[in-house]
Amino acid sequence: MRGTSARDALDGAITAIAAAGCETPRLDAELLLADVLGVSRERLIVDRDLVVEGLAVRAFQNAVRRRSVEREPVAYIVGHRGFRRLDLAVDPRVLIPRPETELLVEVALSLPRGVHVLDVGTGSGAVALALKDERPDLLLAGSDISEDALALARANGERLGVEVEWLRADLLSGVPDEFDAILSNPPYVAESARSSLAPEILRHEPPQALFSGPDGLVAIRALLAQVATRGRAATVALEVGAGQAPAVGELMRVAGFPAVRAERDLAGIERVVVGER
Ligand SMILES: C[S@@+](CC[C@H](N)C(=O)[O-])C[C@H]1O[C@@H](n2cnc3c(N)ncnc32)[C@H](O)[C@@H]1O
């Protein structure tokens, strides 16, 4: 197959991705081409002699088709996503870790030394792995109802050399009361918001990781009801959707956590609700 300059290949891809209605066509095209060529994004921009040729031509066409026609998220196409200091493998078995979820890790950085922490609904393992990476003194476990997600989380832990225990469980059912802190980015999208989600999310991310009943709070209510019956956890921290923090704060108080606060993300949204007792 004939080669073309990286610059021309990028221009064509940006046009196709923009025409499909994607929000960040230049960034997406650069990430896809950098991945196909095995170079950094910086090199794509500065190296005027870079050429797309041979097998890379077809590979890039295929990646651009997946992004523009099928609206697959870039992270699934390239197979990985950065989260805090880690590069995590991701695929459609798991939710793609979001930047706002880094706040949940930040909140947990101030936990006391050596405590035992559970990340409920761990998905790719993002929260548990990033926290263990930054606070090696903590004992970390990650749980999920999805065996498929746990397989990927486990593989991420092994590849990164970060030690986390993995548990399959429906929220806290069957999980021993041995955790000092419970963290979770649970599914919290209301069923009624389904039609407002971007096609990248709706068509490609696991529904089990997204939706939680009519108001989005079914999993959080069930989790806090379980936490209320346990004596050990002194801290609970949950990521929530925009506008959910007051209701979740109230559920935490009812669950026996009198000190409740909400931490805002970079967009100013109350994103992580923290309860302490
Ligand atoms: C929003 S995703 C979060 C994934 C990951 N923690 C992150 O932040 O990127 C929610 C996760 O909760 C899991 N999940 C959904 N219902 C669950 C349940 N009842 N018990 C345990 N995990 C559940 C899903 O499989 C999914 O991996």
Side-chain angles (χ1 to χ4, degrees):
M1 218 165 236
R2 254 174 0 98
T4 179
S5 75
R7 205 158 281 244
D8 286 349
L10 266 184
D11 286 345
I14 292 165
T15 304
I17 295 171
C22 302
E23 279 179 6
T24 52
R26 174 170 294 279
L27 175 65
D28 294 359
E30 287 176 0
L31 289 169
L32 294 175
L33 187 55
D35 181 66
V36 163
L37 296 180
V39 300
S40 66
R41 260 180 77 211
E42 291 68 31
R43 172 134 182 245
L44 275 189
I45 294 156
V46 297
D47 186 348
R48 296 184 155 267
D49 298 328
L50 207 59
V51 168
V52 187
E53 58 191 348
L55 293 177
V57 175
R58 182 60 59 80
F60 187 49
Q61 284 169 347
N62 190 38
V64 172
R65 181 191 53 74
R66 287 172 66 181
R67 182 72 193 103
S68 55
V69 179
E70 291 164 27
R71 296 292 294 267
E72 271 190 70
V74 170
Y76 286 158
I77 301 172
V78 301
H80 58 101
R81 175 63 163 250
F83 185 78
R84 302 243 353 144
R85 305 194 306 202
L86 304 179
D87 189 42
L88 297 164
V90 293
D91 65 29
R93 289 176 289 179
V94 298
L95 186 98
I96 298 164
R98 304 298 204 266
E100 56 268 29
T101 302
E102 297 198 0
L103 183 58
L104 187 56
V105 178
E106 245 163 69
V107 163
L109 288 177
S110 56
L111 285 169
R113 248 195 106 63
V115 299
H116 208 165
V117 185
L118 176 65
D119 169 26
V120 176
T122 196
S124 61
V127 171
L129 289 167
L131 184 56
K132 180 68 182 179
D133 174 53
E134 293 176 47
R135 283 286 309 272
D137 60 292
L138 300 176
L139 287 170
L140 257 298
S143 67
D144 209 287
I145 198 167
S146 159
E147 198 67 75
D148 282 348
L150 281 176
L152 186 52
R154 185 176 287 110
N156 271 323
E158 283 168 8
R159 185 176 46 81
L160 294 165
V162 177
E163 198 184 321
V164 170
E165 182 190 359
W166 305 108
L167 309 168
R168 181 164 186 274
D170 179 354
L171 300 175
L172 297 181
S173 303
V175 175
D177 186 12
E178 63 185 28
F179 295 97
D180 305 291
I182 293 178
L183 314 178
S184 184
N185 172 19
Y188 57 67
V189 180
E191 285 290 348
S192 55
R194 188 178 275 271
S195 58
S196 65
L197 294 183
E200 282 80 357
I201 301 173
L202 204 51
R203 286 193 213 154
H204 298 283
E205 296 201 88
Q208 195 167 237
L210 298 169
F211 300 108
S212 198
D215 61 355
L217 293 177
V218 168
I220 289 177
R221 266 190 216 100
L223 178 61
L224 288 174
Q226 289 179 329
V227 171
T229 66
R230 297 172 169 240
R232 174 91 183 237
T235 305
V236 58
L238 304 180
E239 179 173 324
V240 300
Q244 291 176 338
V248 173
E250 192 45 40
L251 289 168
M252 272 187 195
R253 280 183 208 99
V254 170
F257 293 79
V260 172
R261 69 179 197 278
E263 300 283 345
R264 291 178 191 271
D265 66 16
L266 293 174
I269 293 168
E270 288 186 325
R271 183 60 70 186
V272 175
V273 183
V274 187
E276 281 165 318
R277 64 180 173 191

